[in-house]
Amino acid sequence: MPNERRKKIAQNSLLLQTFPQDTQDMILSMSSWREYDRGETLFLQGETAKAIHIVTEGWVKLYRIAPNGGEAVVNVFAKGQSFGEAVAFRGQAYPVSAEAVTSCEVMRIPSVALLEAMRKDPEIAVAVLASTFMHLHSLVSQLEQLKAQTGPQRVAEFLLELCEQETGSCVVTLPYDKFLIAGRLGMKPESLSRSFARLKTAGVHIKRNHAAIEDIEMLREYSESDPVEAWHKAQ
Amino acid sequence: MPNERRKKIAQNSLLLQTFPQDTQDMILSMSSWREYDRGETLFLQGETAKAIHIVTEGWVKLYRIAPNGGEAVVNVFAKGQSFGEAVAFRGQAYPVSAEAVTSCEVMRIPSVALLEAMRKDPEIAVAVLASTFMHLHSLVSQLEQLKAQTGPQRVAEFLLELCEQETGSCVVTLPYDKFLIAGRLGMKPESLSRSFARLKTAGVHIKRNHAAIEDIEMLREYSESDPVEAWHKAQ
DNA sequence: GGCTTGAAATGACAATAGTCAAGACACGGC
DNA sequence: GCCGTGTCTTGACTATTGTCATTTCAAGCC
């Protein structure tokens, strides 16, 4: 396999990119890769964490099964993103389960490797904290969305995060199937469908797994508007 | 003021309790205390973080104002709890705002103090990461609740977290006013009222700011049951 | 081409949660 | 005790979301 490619992706990940070269090499030499098929489980909630994961290809979802059987998608990670930093250090139990949503390739850094690096260079600890903070921040954003925005507004924000531009119009590709998108946004697939239908008046047109956005700024305005106001706009 | 009491609470906080004695002393000597009146702001989202906070008396809420004006309560902290660990190290901007919900007393640890401690003893970094992980975990739990449980079930779980026992019956005191509880649980005060009414059939009786739980296990079963099932029970 | 299959959209209905307005209740001041 | 204030509860109504059944659509296969 193209081992160099993997290394490059890992080195450019948010977690490792700020580390000095020799530390990166040390960590990479202690890590392993594994490929997963779509639907395969990386780990289950409750299992003891012994490694940090970095996605080098494909998509991985973190989810949680509530005691009542409901599934809550906590996050979906793409190439270059890492997860499990904070939990691995203490050998604690994963609070979530992880599953491959496409066939994918994941790098496993044994937590002892990072612990060792942290002992040598306290700056590494700060870098790990910074990376953990990103996750914290993303969870806070999700909470805000769930508590303070309507369904269609959450969908609008999701689409906005996918496009790279700030203004104008663009076409984005939906990264995974609608069932998963719905889960990530805390709604049922049917509600997602209806939300897409609503967004037509805000200049969004869905065709298969592509979404055409007429005017990014208009959509942003919609996602940031007052729920009652948003309703009138969508009539 | 009883400075000894403050120090004791801070030392028993989840963040500091695992630190060696001399590190605790060093950190405490560099910290300051401040009192806040109900409603006063500790900091606003977007401000640069320079310190970690530990509540030594009263209650502090972290909240976020969405672009559309909606408020989302991210968490409410009691005596002995700390927040702002991950963000302070990088001098990043707070992702949330903090406000005193009762008159309270808060200790501020300048981030330089902890950075210094981390440089001396890498174990400190692991302790800080563990503490950050607690926050991460609590946010994940909240997401699960919001996405996979009905209103009354979330209220039931909130009550269960307040009682210390695992079985039998007990009376818990609602720690802050219902408006704030509603916000924390992602609902309007009216819905909270109705949820309480529903929980009567699950053996919960609200009187002022006290909640009497007839049978803790029965309530847990209710909070963990399937939403549709839960509805039949509540009829 | 016609068939099967799975994902996605739609419609009808039930249940949940929000909004607005009115009423009940405790607490403090006088 | 009485009254005002603010908090909490209740009721009526509306909007949103979930559920279930049905239909549409596109893609793959023989």
Side-chain angles (χ1 to χ4, degrees):
Chain A
M1 313 288 149
N3 225 308
E4 281 312 311
R5 191 188 57 80
R6 290 170 166 172
K7 285 202 179 176
K8 203 163 173 191
I9 292 170
Q11 283 173 340
N12 284 324
S13 69
L14 283 171
L15 177 61
L16 299 184
Q17 65 181 356
T18 58
F19 292 11
Q21 182 69 43
D22 58 334
T23 312
Q24 282 185 7
D25 293 338
M26 190 268 275
I27 288 175
L28 286 178
S29 70
M30 293 177 73
S31 303
S32 58
W33 274 269
R34 207 188 129 180
E35 285 172 25
Y36 294 89
D37 288 332
R38 181 193 155 105
E40 248 190 295
T41 295
L42 281 73
F43 53 77
L44 290 172
Q45 71 194 67
E47 278 179 29
T48 310
K50 295 195 185 78
I52 289 108
H53 295 81
I54 300 181
V55 182
T56 52
E57 193 60 61
W59 294 84
V60 173
K61 80 166 172 187
L62 298 190
Y63 64 102
R64 218 170 126 100
I65 302 293
N68 66 13
E71 177 182 309
V73 178
V74 173
N75 218 336
V76 183
F77 290 105
K79 192 196 290 188
Q81 295 188 287
S82 58
F83 53 89
E85 289 93 338
V87 63
F89 287 100
R90 276 289 165 113
Q92 281 160 318
Y94 286 114
V96 295
S97 304
E99 183 186 307
V101 296
T102 63
S103 60
C104 64
E105 200 183 75
V106 176
M107 180 179 151
R108 288 170 48 92
I109 306 177
S111 43
V112 285
L114 259 186
L115 272 173
E116 203 173 303
M118 270 168 49
R119 262 182 257 281
K120 266 196 251 168
D121 180 1
E123 278 308 312
I124 301 290
V126 178
V128 175
L129 267 165
S131 170
T132 301
F133 170 70
M134 297 292 290
H135 293 156
L136 211 77
H137 200 344
S138 127
L139 290 178
V140 167
S141 291
Q142 270 198 67
L143 271 184
E144 173 192 304
Q145 286 179 24
L146 280 172
K147 287 184 176 173
Q149 287 186 298
T150 69
Q153 284 183 317
R154 296 202 295 275
V155 176
E157 200 150 323
F158 178 81
L159 292 176
L160 288 170
E161 280 168 22
L162 288 176
C163 47
E164 276 125 32
Q165 305 147 250
E166 295 288 305
T167 59
S169 67
C170 72
V171 176
V172 299
T173 305
L174 302 179
Y176 25 83
D177 68 19
K178 307 209 173 161
F179 192 86
L180 185 56
I181 296 176
R184 169 56 240 280
L185 296 174
M187 54 176 84
K188 300 284 153 187
E190 292 95 326
S191 298
L192 179 65
S193 242
R194 286 182 243 270
S195 294
F196 278 142
R198 280 266 189 96
L199 290 179
K200 273 187 192 137
T201 59
V204 175
H205 298 271
I206 307 291
K207 190 82 179 283
R208 326 258 288 94
N209 62 340
H210 292 277
I213 302 172
E214 267 174 35
D215 183 342
I216 295 181
E217 279 181 308
M218 188 169 91
L219 188 61
R220 174 165 300 117
E221 201 172 294
Y222 173 85
S223 84
E224 294 179 356
S225 67
D226 199 41
V228 282
E229 213 180 307
W231 185 77
H232 288 297
K233 282 187 196 166
Q235 278 307 73
Chain B
M1 311 288 151
N3 226 309
E4 282 312 310
R5 190 188 60 79
R6 291 168 165 173
K7 283 201 179 178
K8 204 163 173 194
I9 293 171
Q11 283 174 340
N12 285 324
S13 70
L14 282 170
L15 177 62
L16 298 185
Q17 66 184 356
T18 59
F19 292 12
Q21 183 68 45
D22 59 333
T23 311
Q24 281 187 6
D25 292 340
M26 188 269 274
I27 289 174
L28 286 178
S29 71
M30 291 177 73
S31 304
S32 57
W33 274 267
R34 205 188 133 180
E35 286 172 25
Y36 294 89
D37 288 332
R38 180 193 156 109
E40 245 188 296
T41 295
L42 279 74
F43 53 78
L44 290 172
Q45 71 194 67
E47 280 179 25
T48 310
K50 296 197 185 78
I52 289 109
H53 295 81
I54 300 181
V55 181
T56 52
E57 192 60 62
W59 294 84
V60 173
K61 80 167 173 187
L62 299 191
Y63 64 102
R64 216 169 127 103
I65 300 295
N68 64 15
E71 176 183 309
V73 177
V74 172
N75 218 335
V76 183
F77 290 104
K79 191 196 287 188
Q81 295 186 290
S82 59
F83 52 91
E85 289 93 339
V87 62
F89 287 100
R90 275 290 165 109
Q92 279 159 319
Y94 286 114
V96 294
S97 304
E99 183 186 306
V101 295
T102 62
S103 58
C104 63
E105 199 182 77
V106 177
M107 180 177 150
R108 287 170 49 94
I109 306 178
S111 44
V112 286
L114 258 188
L115 273 173
E116 202 173 304
M118 270 169 49
R119 261 182 256 280
K120 267 196 253 172
D121 180 1
E123 279 309 313
I124 301 290
V126 178
V128 175
L129 267 165
S131 168
T132 301
F133 171 70
M134 299 291 289
H135 294 156
L136 212 75
H137 200 345
S138 126
L139 290 178
V140 168
S141 292
Q142 269 197 70
L143 272 184
E144 173 192 304
Q145 287 179 23
L146 280 173
K147 286 184 178 174
Q149 288 185 297
T150 68
Q153 285 183 317
R154 296 202 295 274
V155 176
E157 200 151 322
F158 179 80
L159 292 176
L160 287 169
E161 279 168 25
L162 288 176
C163 48
E164 276 126 32
Q165 303 146 250
E166 295 289 306
T167 60
S169 66
C170 73
V171 176
V172 300
T173 304
L174 302 179
Y176 26 83
D177 68 20
K178 307 211 171 162
F179 192 86
L180 184 55
I181 296 175
R184 167 57 238 281
L185 295 173
M187 55 176 83
K188 300 283 153 187
E190 292 94 325
S191 298
L192 179 64
S193 244
R194 286 180 188 122
S195 295
F196 279 142
R198 279 264 190 98
L199 289 180
K200 272 186 192 140
T201 60
V204 176
H205 298 271
I206 306 290
K207 190 81 179 282
R208 326 257 285 93
N209 62 339
H210 292 278
I213 303 172
E214 268 174 34
D215 182 343
I216 293 179
E217 279 181 308
M218 187 168 92
L219 187 61
R220 174 165 301 116
E221 202 173 292
Y222 173 85
S223 84
E224 294 179 355
S225 66
D226 200 32
V228 282
E229 215 180 307
W231 186 77
H232 288 296
K233 284 186 194 166
Q235 279 305 77

